[in-house]
Amino acid sequence: MHFASFEFILFLIILVVLYYLIPRKWQWVLLLAASYVFYSFAGVGNFAYILITTITTWLVAIKMDKMRQHQSDYLARMKKEMSREDRKAYKAEIKARQRKWLIACLVVNFGILAVLKYAGYFQISSSLGLVLPLGISFYTFQSMGYLIDVYRGTYESEKNLAKLALFISFFPQLIQGPISRFNQLKETLFAEHTFDSKNISYGLMRILWGFFKKLVIADRLFYAVSTIISSPNEYQGAYILAGMFFYAIELYADFTGGIDIAIGSAQLLGIRLNENFQLPYFSKSIAEYWRRWHITLGTWFKDYLFYPISVSKTMLNLSKKARKTLGDGVAKRLPIYIASIIVWFTTGVWHGSSWNFIVWGLMNCFVILVSQECVPLYNKFHERFPEAGRTGWYRLFQVVRTFWLMSFIRTLDLYPQVGTTFRLYASVFTVWNLPELFQGGLMQLGLTGADYIVLAAAVGLMLFVSLKSRSESFLEKVSSRPIVVRYATYFAIFVFILIFGAYGIGYDSNQFIYSRF
Amino acid sequence: MKKILINITCIVLAVLFLAFLQKLFMPKYMSSIYEGNLIEEYYDSDKDHDVIFIGDCEVFSNVSPIVLWEKYGITSYIRGSAQQLVWQSYYLFEETLKYEKPDVVVFNVLAMKYNEPQKEAYNRLTLDGMKLSKSKIDAIRASMLEEESLITYLFPILRYHSRWSELTWEDFRYLFNKRKVSHNGYLMRSDTKPVTVVPEGRKLPDYSFGENAWYYLDKMTKLARENGIELMLIKSPSIYPYWYEEWDEQIAQYAKENDLLYVNFLPLADQMNIDYSKDTYDGGLHMNLAGAEKFTAYLGKILKENYNLEDRRGDTKLAAVWQDKVEFYEWMKQDQAMEMEKYGYLKSYGAAAQAIIN
């Protein structure tokens, strides 16, 4: 059952009605049952994996907590008998034991993820009967984030297995995130919720907006993008630029649409999920783009991979050695460079089991690091031309530059063969067929003139809403308008989706792009 | 109070607007694929029929209820549509019983060759026209292909929304008022395309009808028996699709076991005076007007002889109702003759569903 389906709408309606009818103390139990029902639609066989992750995470988190508790009790009891050094040594020993449990659990869960993801790469999936379970990348990262937090003592472990199971399997975030933190989500996930018309209307509107982006924009552009990537020999030059442009919009509409539906669905139930996007296409640099795109994955990597690596003992020692031999500049950069390369390599691996994703990750890393190195140059430029940097035109230039740079890098998503992508990059500069594109070429991509008009209107609306949302939520803005204007706006969007949505027979209904990661 | 009033008004307006959109987007079948209107037209007709025909194109193209009335005083209606499957026929039969109780139900058995749903387009031609009822929902459930969903039949705008770029003047013109195209379910075609070759049917690995087809034929038999209705099985005299001897034997055996009358009209072409070089409009698939009238005249005789059907032409009230139908029939006959003379083909009477859908 994917979000853009009639089954999901029916599922959600039944759930919301039941949710507010049953005693409030049982609401979270209903959510767990509903999440498992939702998950079962993707195949009952998948349950084994999510249950292994849930149970191992629960057991190890409790074990680590018990060790911490035991440590506090012991130290309190032995306060007088132990010296400062003894206490320090004891703490280190407990930490080491906790670390062993943590590593064991990380290995098991990331191991499952790696085996299932890379079985496809090594072409052993079918012989072993392995299928990548729905949402495994997301729930594995979310549960391992929880485990690391418990290890660090950021918060206590959840003793109730069912509650932890709900945190890991909560259906709106299961397919494509956002990746939540336990201490944030538990505040509303396990709370008792009364019916709140504001939550219902905001949630519905958010879901509607998600459907708009997914069905009207993303699923329509899917045809043009699929046509272009299906024939790399035929579609080159200007077609690649068109493909980059279309894919940028498709991916944004698809992913943010899915997240809107996830956040809106949770809001119907009174639960708040973290935002995952902050107008990424308005970013002025790649680094900024990654702070605004898939925010919860970015912060996950930053908190659980980048910082631990960059401030690890090994890195500090390496940095020290480098300072002696290579100087301060290199020593300062080395931990950041190594951590960045590891993070981006892992991000690439997380996205898919093929080389194009790894190159994609490293290319992002390369651009970010080069940009950092260029900062002194930029500064010099701004010192020399102080006015230029402050103009709107310069900011527009930065936004457009970042958009196209990302679009180039993102092309690696589309073609499994890295060589093909680089050949097509070259074609952008060597094959001059822009006139052909506008003299009928665009009409050969599976879209009609009418489709392009609908797309232009829909993308225009999406851009308008994005621009209006920069200062304040667009929903808040619409909500402050008179009731008739409000209803008319909601209804107009609903009718727009109903008529112009690329759903049903005649359209290939597409899964959300990020649900395959 | 004011807020409640605004809410109610908004909901009513929204529902009305959506209903309007749905009506607008539904295909009107007014300039082609006239078969799309057949099921729906039944609800506007009178509901006093001695005989109900159910089945596929071999009934709605080959049987003329007007001839049955004019020759024998038998009132009849055809509840048939393009490639109507056995379970669809069953549920149409079941639904018809909510409106009337005929003396005889005649089922054309060609559809027995299909054991599974075939094409969404054909499903739509039959099911979209049905009024919402339990029979309709059951018919949908029995007919849906894997890629279809029930909700798109209950709210067809979810299926036809993609027509937004294909809307024509016809969609607005016939938005609320469609013109009648059939004569009690009979779709008239008076043009001719003779049969040129009669190929043998290709060999099949298995000639047995499917379990599902038998199941619904059994249900039909049971439903007729429970309601004191005579069920007659026929194989219309269309040459294609090929009707195998092995199929015929199975139906004959079934009819015998269930004490039903079964007539295969294919071998009776000479007795009916059917000339396949003149009496079909598409090389043998369907009868044209002349063929349909000959076949119906013969069929009427069998109905009269076997089911003791009363000649109701003396009923003045009924005769007045049927007079209108006869006039419409005669008008269309003349109109088609005029078009044939003027253009050499039927300009405003379109082609059959098969030609367009396939």
Side-chain angles (χ1 to χ4, degrees), chain A residues 374-422:
Chain A
C374 291
V375 167
L377 268 176
Y378 296 145
N379 289 342
K380 267 185 193 167
F381 170 80
H382 290 301
E383 273 167 28
R384 188 143 182 207
F385 306 103
E387 288 308 311
R390 284 188 214 120
T391 61
W393 287 110
Y394 183 71
R395 284 198 293 275
L396 181 66
F397 159 74
Q398 287 177 304
V399 167
V400 173
R401 177 198 59 190
T402 307
F403 176 87
W404 279 104
L405 205 51
M406 269 318 298
S407 298
F408 264 79
I409 296 173
R410 210 183 286 114
T411 307
L412 283 155
D413 279 10
L414 297 173
Y415 299 94
Q417 304 297 329
V418 178
T420 307
T421 307
F422 280 92

Side-chain angles (χ1 to χ4, degrees), chain A residues 191-335:
Chain A
E192 295 178 1
H193 299 282
T194 47
F195 184 87
D196 177 359
S197 59
K198 192 181 170 188
N199 269 342
I200 298 293
S201 69
Y202 275 43
L204 283 177
M205 193 52 210
R206 192 78 192 256
I207 292 172
L208 204 60
W209 187 234
F211 277 130
F212 173 82
K213 288 197 262 186
K214 168 72 178 158
L215 297 176
V216 179
I217 302 173
D219 284 358
R220 183 165 269 107
L221 278 170
F222 165 82
Y223 295 99
V225 175
S226 304
T227 308
I228 292 172
I229 61 174
S230 64
S231 302
N233 291 329
E234 187 183 347
Y235 295 111
Q236 301 195 351
Y239 286 99
I240 297 304
L241 285 176
M244 286 175 185
F245 182 68
F246 290 156
Y247 185 55
I249 299 170
E250 184 203 352
L251 187 65
Y252 176 79
D254 187 280
F255 195 11
T256 63
I259 292 294
D260 284 335
I261 296 170
I263 292 176
S265 304
Q267 195 166 3
L268 289 181
L269 305 161
I271 295 160
R272 294 197 73 82
L273 292 181
N274 287 332
E275 291 294 339
N276 217 18
F277 296 92
Q278 260 182 353
L279 308 175
Y281 289 163
F282 290 105
S283 305
K284 295 192 280 291
S285 69
I286 300 285
E288 186 189 349
Y289 170 86
W290 280 110
R291 287 194 296 273
R292 290 161 157 238
W293 176 277
H294 206 347
I295 297 167
T296 55
L297 182 71
T299 50
W300 195 99
F301 275 120
K302 196 172 72 185
D303 293 347
Y304 302 117
L305 200 61
F306 181 82
Y307 287 142
I309 293 173
S310 55
V311 298
S312 66
K313 260 187 196 164
T314 323
M315 277 305 152
L316 293 177
N317 289 339
L318 201 67
S319 179
K320 243 185 224 169
K321 279 182 193 163
R323 183 167 289 122
K324 282 179 198 160
T325 52
L326 300 164
D328 269 0
V330 175
K332 211 168 74 185
R333 285 179 177 86
L334 202 60

Side-chain angles (χ1 to χ4, degrees), chain A residues 6 454 487 498-501 503, chain B residues 7 10 14 17 151 158 161 164:
Chain A
F6 297 125
V454 168
Y487 284 174
L498 190 69
I499 296 175
F500 300 114
Y503 62 87
Chain B
N7 279 336
C10 287
F17 185 69
I151 196 164
L158 296 172
H161 69 100
W164 62 269

